Amino acid sequence: MEDKMLMEGLLWDTKVLADLCLHGTIESSSANVHEMFLTGLKEVLHMQHEIYQMMSDMGWYTTTDVEQTKIDKVIQKFQTFVEQEGK
């Protein structure tokens, strides 16, 4: 299997695992279970960051900067939607 595909799979898996740990943390029924899920979530997020960093260093996961005007436009659109839904 190609290394890039393997890393993409690992990154996807850690994202899914982070989601599961987050829900476990939120919905835990006792303090010790909550702490266990929270610790697991922190570890998974750390693994996810390391995988992302490796992929980024290899040029396999690139990001692009977005102009502030485009960000502002999306924010305004969202705020308008929220205001209309509240009426």
Side-chain angles (χ1 to χ4, degrees):
M1 179 181 282
E2 185 181 325
D3 288 345
K4 181 180 178 184
M5 288 179 64
L6 180 62
M7 294 296 283
E8 286 172 348
L10 289 172
L11 186 60
W12 173 258
D13 290 345
T14 57
K15 288 180 179 185
V16 170
L17 186 55
D19 187 51
L20 291 171
C21 288
L22 173 64
H23 287 285
T25 303
I26 293 168
E27 298 174 12
S28 56
S29 59
S30 65
N32 60 339
V33 173
H34 175 84
E35 195 59 39
M36 180 189 68
F37 275 113
L38 183 58
T39 300
L41 176 59
K42 290 176 184 178
E43 290 176 11
V44 170
L45 290 174
H46 180 72
M47 286 188 296
Q48 183 181 346
H49 176 72
E50 287 181 335
I51 294 168
Y52 162 78
Q53 195 62 55
M54 286 180 210
M55 291 180 72
S56 181
D57 291 346
M58 297 294 288
W60 295 338
Y61 199 113
T62 57
T63 59
T64 56
D65 293 332
V66 178
E67 298 171 18
Q68 186 62 45
T69 54
K70 290 182 180 181
I71 295 170
D72 294 340
K73 188 175 179 179
V74 171
I75 291 170
Q76 181 59 44
K77 186 176 179 179
F78 178 74
Q79 287 174 336
T80 300
F81 173 77
V82 169
E83 289 170 1
Q84 290 174 350
E85 288 296 311
K87 292 180 181 179

